[in-house]
Amino acid sequence: GNIAAAERVLCVASADSAPIRRVIQDARDRSMLVDCCAGKKCKSVIVMDSDHVITSALEVAELKEALAK
């Protein structure tokens, strides 16, 4: 049920790597993290041009498909 402006997305990355986990923690520390996992496991991270970081329970492939529409 969550949406984000597709034209403002800089990148979509898998949440598995250590550098992305540091990006998430840094965004949390700066109060720029938007958690859209709804209690599920975080599978991907969306970085916006506004410096916000959005966590998502969707796979990167699913988000890529949705952004292509």
Side-chain angles (χ1 to χ4, degrees), residues 28-55:
R28 183 177 286 125
D29 293 344
R30 294 180 295 114
S31 298
M32 298 296 278
L33 181 69
V34 181
D35 185 6
C36 293
C37 291
K40 298 178 184 175
K41 184 179 186 282
C42 176
K43 295 181 182 174
S44 61
V45 175
I46 305 166
V47 180
M48 307 295 284
D49 65 354
S50 62
D51 209 25
H52 284 86
V53 176
I54 302 170
T55 58

